[in-house]
Amino acid sequence: REIGGSSAGSAAAVALGIVPFAIGSDTGDSIRKPAAFGGVVGYKPTYGLISRYGLFAFASSLDHVGCFARSVKDVALVTNTIKGYDPHDMTTYQDDSDLLEGIDEPLAGKKLFYIKEIVDRDLYNIASSLGYDICDRCATVSCDRDCFTGFSAWGEREHKETEDKNK
């Protein structure tokens, strides 16, 4: 595999098993792409969740610190450890949530949505092959056909209105 991006070294170290987790920075997908290319989990958190203190700023309002690991549970554990208020970074805030809470609960019955104008619908065949019921109109997992799933790229409510049009 080839890993690219400014945090490629961190992603490669995790992918090769050299380290159990690594820190990276993301301004324009420098955590997300290396994680995808390397087959590891990369997490770009909400702005301000993790301090940027000590990070060489590229575009301050777009810079994020995140992490790589081999599993979602490991990423949640690392993020729980490094997140929170830092007096050296005025954009941080205290977050007492536990990202590990409910992490082992099954996904069945959860409502998920996507913006159909920017997502390849064929990717949802994977979830379907794993036994999840995927609604053909809104790609919601276990949709009851009476749900609100999100907005289209133009801000229109999806699913309820489109269901009537498709009858």
Side-chain angles (χ1 to χ4, degrees):
R1 294 184 176 182
E2 181 179 321
I3 300 177
S6 63
S7 293
S10 296
V14 172
L16 292 170
I18 296 170
V19 295
F21 67 89
I23 303 300
S25 63
D26 192 313
T27 302
D29 68 18
S30 299
I31 289 176
R32 295 160 287 165
K33 278 189 180 173
F37 295 157
V40 298
V41 178
Y43 178 56
K44 175 194 164 217
T46 300
Y47 186 76
L49 183 66
I50 298 172
S51 175
R52 295 170 299 128
Y53 181 71
L55 181 69
F56 182 77
F58 177 67
S60 190
S61 64
L62 299 174
D63 293 334
H64 293 72
V65 172
C67 60
F68 299 95
R70 297 181 73 86
S71 72
V72 172
K73 190 179 276 189
D74 287 346
V75 164
L77 179 66
V78 172
T79 303
N80 272 348
T81 304
I82 64 175
K83 70 184 175 87
Y85 175 73
D86 179 357
H88 299 292
D89 182 351
M90 67 180 188
T91 66
T92 60
Y93 57 92
Q94 187 59 40
D95 183 328
D96 296 324
S97 65
D98 181 1
L99 298 177
L100 290 168
E101 185 178 319
I103 202 163
D104 291 321
E105 292 179 13
L107 292 176
K110 302 287 186 197
K111 302 260 182 187
L112 307 173
F113 77 95
Y114 75 111
I115 300 171
K116 64 184 175 185
E117 291 85 0
I118 63 170
V119 174
D120 182 354
R121 179 66 168 90
D122 293 334
L123 296 176
Y124 286 88
N125 291 334
I126 296 169
S128 184
S129 70
L130 293 173
Y132 294 104
D133 180 28
I134 308 296
C135 175
D136 292 330
R137 292 193 180 104
C138 68
T140 301
V141 176
S142 302
C143 175
D144 60 8
R145 299 257 184 213
D146 188 27
C147 65
F148 165 66
T149 59
F151 294 93
S152 73
W154 297 277
E156 300 165 341
R157 288 179 63 95
E158 284 295 317
H159 193 268
K160 284 186 178 180
E161 290 84 356
T162 57
E163 184 173 337
D164 293 335
K165 291 177 191 174
N166 293 326
K167 285 184 179 178

